[in-house]
Amino acid sequence: MKIVIAPDSFKESLDAGSVAECIEKGFREVFPDADYVTLPLADGGEGTVDVLLQGLAGKKRVTQVEGPLGELVNAEWAMLEPSTRISKKTALIEIAAASGLDLLTPEQRDPLVASSYGTGQLILEAMQQGAQMIILGLGGSATNDGGAGIVQALGGKLLNSEGQEISRGGAALSELASIDLADIDSRCTDIELIVACDVDNPLCGDKGASHIFGPQKGATPEQASMLDNALAHFAQVSESQGCVKGEQSVYERTGYGAAGGTPMGLSVLFNMQIKPGIEMVLDVLQADEILNGADLVITGEGQMDNQTLQGKTPYGIAKRASLQGIPAIGIAGSLGTQVEALYGEMTSLFGTVRSPQPLEQVLQEAELNLTRTARNIASTLKLGHAILK
């Protein structure tokens, strides 16, 4: 029996590799002789660099940059040399490494002032190190600045009506009057930028960056409305000055709500491609070949809910498994709203939290609870097989 274990991380507790190890440990208690293949995954958020380095030859690097609130952080990224699978010298960067929510305590979260400037510094460093292509993962950001910080880090000037540069952060975009791109780094024109994101939300509106993702970054409903208006203003100024690359209005572009609207600022600088993060990762890791001949796929993430359907890891790998007629089981720390829709791709879903507990305890017991849940699932499968004999 071949079992492919292909989860994402459980945020704030276990990385994807650790999740896969726990699931395999639990299953081995019941099926010790099965053929286990672990395939830790990510969908553009935290851990994407590590996951891609499983299948690509490259080296990690560390660069000191500004964090979301201007503090100095040591951000990891990676550089891949040209190979048979990647034809260009390619940098792997996560916005979470420099501008991520996990870099802040809950009390520090403030999307009104958080900036993507540090991510721009990483992009600049990658270009200085000779990168010809950049794969940028957009999950896990603390920002809602529309990528304005990236524009500023790469030489763009965002000016108010008095010709002064506006402050960093999402709220300051409401003061934007003009954009000066005269000093933008010339290498931006030649870079092939692939943006990996796990959502298809638009830039603005009820389903846009500010209203859907702003609250988890610390925004109140009133602040979310303020930030939504500021992003719309940034887009209006950018389009009216002809700064945005591409013919379609940014308001109509799928995925522009990712990472606090970061694709908005990127579209000012680069000719970029936006790809679903999980699809890009699965293709790079040749997941279809790994799935071939499998009897079962087990996937998971920290919480499964209606957002899982919007291009998250469990949904992506389950769809690939379904195309080969392989059943998939999902394991999550918790099951949120509207998970019933996931049953179209997964046969069953399981939460690992054993009882109502404080979050701190849940995180501390994540490994134990996950292993126990995996073991119980395996036992149930074995019992079902025995009953049906």
Side-chain angles (χ1 to χ4, degrees):
M1 178 169 59
K2 178 180 176 181
I3 300 174
V4 176
I5 302 173
D8 204 328
S9 63
F10 280 30
K11 284 186 178 179
E12 299 184 51
S13 57
L14 298 170
D15 61 34
S18 297
V19 173
E21 289 175 8
C22 289
I23 294 173
E24 180 178 350
K25 181 180 178 182
F27 258 72
R28 278 194 181 277
E29 290 185 29
V30 181
F31 297 115
D33 298 323
D35 176 18
Y36 294 96
V37 180
T38 57
L39 182 67
L41 295 174
D43 51 25
E46 304 94 319
T48 299
V49 168
D50 287 333
V51 162
L52 288 176
L53 285 176
Q54 295 175 106
L56 300 170
K59 292 184 178 180
K60 270 191 177 182
R61 307 190 181 193
V62 178
T63 301
Q64 190 174 74
V65 298
E66 291 190 21
L69 299 182
E71 72 288 8
L72 293 179
V73 299
N74 292 318
E76 289 187 343
W77 58 289
M79 185 73 86
L80 310 176
E81 295 298 328
S83 67
T84 55
R85 296 179 64 181
I86 297 287
S87 61
K88 298 180 178 179
K89 191 171 185 179
T90 300
L92 305 177
I93 298 174
E94 299 172 14
I95 193 170
S99 313
L101 198 62
D102 287 350
L103 297 174
L104 306 176
T105 66
E107 295 75 23
Q108 291 176 316
R109 295 173 184 178
D110 188 352
L112 299 181
V113 299
S115 170
S116 57
Y117 191 88
T119 299
Q121 291 178 299
L122 285 184
I123 292 172
L124 179 61
E125 176 67 14
M127 293 192 299
Q128 290 174 341
Q129 295 296 324
Q132 300 165 296
M133 179 167 73
I134 296 174
I135 297 175
L136 175 63
L138 289 190
S141 80
T143 60
N144 204 106
D145 71 342
I150 296 174
V151 176
Q152 292 167 316
L154 291 174
K157 294 183 175 64
L158 307 181
L159 307 174
N160 62 22
S161 58
E162 298 178 354
Q164 303 296 316
E165 288 201 52
I166 63 173
S167 302
R168 295 179 195 164
L173 293 172
S174 61
E175 304 171 11
L176 182 66
S178 63
I179 302 173
D180 182 356
L181 301 179
D183 294 330
I184 284 292
D185 193 294
S186 60
R187 289 168 292 197
C188 292
T189 304
D190 301 321
I191 286 288
E192 181 180 351
L193 178 65
I194 297 175
V195 176
C197 70
D198 59 1
V199 301
D200 57 7
N201 300 70
L203 180 67
C204 299
D206 291 342
K207 295 184 178 180
S210 305
H211 285 293
I212 297 298
F213 306 111
Q216 70 190 42
K217 302 176 184 184
T220 65
E222 294 77 17
Q223 290 172 335
S225 294
M226 180 196 308
L227 290 165
D228 186 61
N229 290 333
L231 285 180
H233 182 67
F234 182 27
Q236 186 274 323
V237 173
S238 299
E239 289 192 328
S240 67
Q241 290 192 199
C243 298
V244 180
K245 294 176 173 57
E247 297 181 3
Q248 186 183 33
S249 171
V250 294
Y251 299 105
E252 301 171 359
R253 297 183 187 181
T254 299
Y256 267 54
T262 293
M264 175 64 241
L266 294 173
S267 70
V268 170
L269 302 170
F270 301 96
N271 290 306
M272 65 176 176
Q273 303 175 56
I274 295 183
K275 294 185 176 181
I278 185 58
E279 299 301 326
M280 184 270 293
V281 169
L282 291 173
D283 287 341
V284 169
L285 298 181
Q286 299 179 327
D288 293 333
E289 294 181 21
I290 293 172
L291 290 172
N292 188 36
D295 298 287
L296 176 66
V297 169
I298 308 170
T299 185
E301 63 179 341
Q303 175 165 305
M304 286 190 191
D305 53 27
N306 57 329
Q307 289 192 24
T308 303
L309 292 165
Q310 300 174 13
K312 297 285 189 177
T313 292
Y315 188 58
I317 187 66
K319 284 198 302 180
R320 295 288 185 101
S322 179
L323 291 173
Q324 296 192 36
I326 306 166
I329 291 174
I331 306 177
S334 63
L335 300 177
T337 59
Q338 300 176 25
V339 294
E340 291 78 12
L342 290 169
Y343 291 132
E345 300 296 343
M346 296 184 215
T347 57
S348 55
L349 303 171
F350 297 86
T352 66
V353 178
R354 56 184 174 81
S355 63
Q357 297 171 321
L359 177 60
E360 182 178 354
Q361 185 177 355
V362 170
L363 298 178
Q364 289 176 347
E365 296 182 359
E367 185 174 339
L368 175 64
N369 289 337
L370 178 56
T371 304
R372 180 191 295 119
T373 301
R375 186 250 177 227
N376 290 340
I377 293 170
S379 295
T380 303
L381 291 173
K382 187 173 184 178
L383 175 62
H385 180 72
I387 290 173
L388 294 173
K389 270 189 176 181

